[in-house]
Amino acid sequence: MKNKTLMLVPFIIFAVLCVFLLKGLFGNPKEIETGRLGQTMPAFNLPDLMDENKRWTDKDLLGDVYLLNVWGTWCPTCLIELPYLTKLRGQGVKIIGLYYEQNYDPDFGDSFDLAALQREVKGMLSRTGDPYQFNILDLNRTLALDLGVSGAPEHFLVDKNGKIILHHTGDINERVWRAKFAPKLLELK
Amino acid sequence: MKKLFIVLLTIFSVSLFAAENQYQFNSAQEEQLFRELTAELRCPKCQNQNIADSDAVVAKDLRDKVLELVQAGNDKDQVVDYMIDRYGYFVHYKPPVTPLTLLLWILPLGFVVLGFVFILLTQKKQAKKKAQWSEADEQKLAALIAKYKESA
């Protein structure tokens, strides 16, 4: 009898190993941990995308739960999610854009044309719908680096006290929103 | 063919040279630290490339940041911690010793020890069985053999 239970041990080890490996197989390798999760928004002072004279700081964002969307007009996945984000805005979600300028690199002598970018953004948002309360222009990607952003689109759910609750890499759609964001948002309210 | 090869090689070596010279260092020590760090930090955008090898925008940003931090007099651990603060442990190729990563070291060792113990135990059991062979067993066996021979 004792021997029979002992015989089960290798089988149990095998089963546990299978579960562990299968989890790895079906996991999302893009789902990387973020250093900033659970911490407050890093300090920043950046201009508004549409109004050069307006500047935003981390203090301005306190007091409301909001979704920070890192995006750019050059990013095809961002284009795809814009209509869904616009729908979310209609449902009362506060969405703030962090414009992630990809191609500008002063080391290579690139010049930056703000007026052209503003036209491009306006054109794109008039076609897809505009989900943003406002857009922050992160020309040198400094805030993006402090947030641990690796590309666009990425999303941060931030609570009233500026604490980062969620970091999502990739687009937001109905499925992602229901599974990941909606429960967290309910918790916050 | 050979000429073409030489031309191509020249072009590529020139562009490599250009990339190498993109960064200005104040000392050889600084350059050494920069090379070590960019080889050890993983690009968060691309799967399994270090930031020295990657062309991703974020890898370039991280390289610039590493240079800036190194030139500001930060040591290796400080730069690595700076990156881990933002990008998590994923950004560093050398995993830290945490209870979870310790398991990866201990588990295989544990299996070896367990297997050894198992072998020892079964051998002991077998030795015990042999020792239990008695005179009565011997007679029983002889009787069985005799019976088999008769029937054959």
Side-chain angles (χ1 to χ4, degrees):
Chain A
M1 188 59 203
K2 198 184 156 224
N3 254 339
K4 260 189 188 159
T5 45
L6 214 66
M7 294 278 255
L8 275 176
V9 170
F11 176 73
I12 290 167
I13 292 175
F14 175 73
V16 168
L17 208 67
C18 274
V19 171
F20 176 74
L21 292 177
L22 274 173
K23 230 182 107 195
L25 196 62
F26 291 108
N28 182 2
K30 296 253 180 232
E31 197 78 35
I32 58 177
E33 50 171 338
T34 319
R36 283 285 180 225
L37 208 63
Q39 293 181 32
T40 45
M41 275 291 283
F44 66 90
N45 184 342
L46 292 167
D48 189 277
L49 174 64
M50 291 304 175
D51 180 6
E52 283 167 83
N53 302 316
K54 172 91 186 118
R55 290 192 82 86
W56 296 102
T57 70
D58 46 309
K59 306 274 182 311
D60 296 326
L61 304 184
L62 292 174
D64 254 333
V65 177
Y66 63 92
L67 183 73
L68 186 77
N69 172 215
V70 183
W71 75 293
T73 49
W74 49 269
C75 150
T77 317
C78 303
L79 177 67
I80 288 167
E81 69 171 353
L82 275 172
Y84 187 72
L85 292 180
T86 308
K87 202 178 131 195
L88 285 177
R89 184 190 183 170
Q91 290 167 8
V93 181
K94 183 176 175 183
I95 302 175
I96 294 166
L98 180 68
Y99 195 87
Y100 186 83
E101 177 56 50
Q102 190 181 38
N103 299 314
Y104 170 65
D105 190 343
D107 286 359
F108 287 110
D110 286 348
S111 61
F112 174 70
D113 187 350
L114 181 63
L117 177 64
Q118 285 171 347
R119 273 197 304 277
E120 207 182 321
V121 169
K122 267 181 196 152
M124 189 159 155
L125 293 181
S126 68
R127 269 172 274 134
T128 57
D130 182 357
Y132 305 109
Q133 304 265 332
F134 54 83
N135 269 286
I136 301 166
L137 177 60
D138 195 4
L139 188 57
N140 295 310
R141 301 176 295 272
T142 47
L143 177 55
L145 191 120
D146 276 339
L147 279 168
V149 168
S150 53
E154 285 192 20
H155 304 265
F156 295 86
L157 187 64
V158 185
D159 77 359
K160 284 176 194 162
N161 306 315
K163 195 172 130 189
I164 297 168
I165 304 294
L166 208 65
H167 179 188
H168 175 70
T169 315
D171 69 321
I172 287 185
N173 48 44
E174 184 88 42
R175 182 177 50 82
V176 171
W177 182 261
R178 283 207 182 150
K180 234 174 146 176
F181 285 87
K184 286 278 178 199
L185 216 57
L186 266 176
E187 257 173 59
L188 289 175
K189 276 176 179 167
Chain B
M1 193 60 203
K2 206 173 178 183
K3 264 182 193 168
L4 182 78
F5 181 70
I6 289 169
V7 168
L8 280 176
L9 200 72
T10 317
I11 291 170
F12 280 117
S13 52
V14 165
S15 61
L16 251 179
F17 185 70
E20 286 279 301
N21 269 344
Q22 213 177 294
Y23 296 100
Q24 300 291 321
F25 302 97
N26 297 322
S27 67
Q29 224 174 344
E30 225 175 71
E31 182 169 358
Q32 165 75 16
L33 184 57
F34 177 80
R35 299 241 175 277
E36 259 176 54
L37 278 163
T38 50
E40 235 174 70
L41 289 169
R42 189 206 299 228
C43 165
K45 181 81 187 169
C46 9
Q47 299 287 318
N48 266 340
Q49 251 186 324
N50 60 26
I51 58 170
D53 283 341
S54 172
D55 282 333
V57 178
V58 68
K60 201 221 163 264
D61 287 349
L62 292 191
R63 278 197 301 270
D64 291 349
K65 200 65 187 181
V66 167
L67 182 70
E68 187 190 320
L69 290 171
V70 165
Q71 283 180 341
N74 289 284
D75 66 19
K76 193 169 171 181
D77 286 343
Q78 280 169 322
V79 177
V80 168
D81 284 346
Y82 182 94
M83 293 304 173
I84 287 174
D85 266 354
R86 284 153 184 77
Y87 288 92
Y89 288 122
F90 182 87
V91 81
H92 197 206
Y93 269 119
K94 284 190 185 156
V97 180
T98 65
L100 200 75
T101 51
L102 212 62
L103 208 66
L104 291 175
W105 293 96
I106 291 173
L107 224 55
L109 209 76
F111 276 128
V112 171
V113 171
L114 219 72
F116 192 67
V117 169
F118 180 75
I119 290 171
L120 266 183
L121 280 179
T122 44
Q123 275 193 337
K124 229 180 202 169
K125 218 184 234 171
Q126 227 120 47
K128 221 178 179 180
K129 248 187 196 161
K130 242 181 219 162
Q132 276 168 351
W133 191 256
S134 65
E135 196 56 40
D137 288 330
E138 193 65 46
Q139 277 172 7
K140 220 189 239 172
L141 183 66
L144 276 171
I145 290 171
K147 202 175 171 192
Y148 174 73
K149 271 184 181 161
E150 249 170 50
S151 66

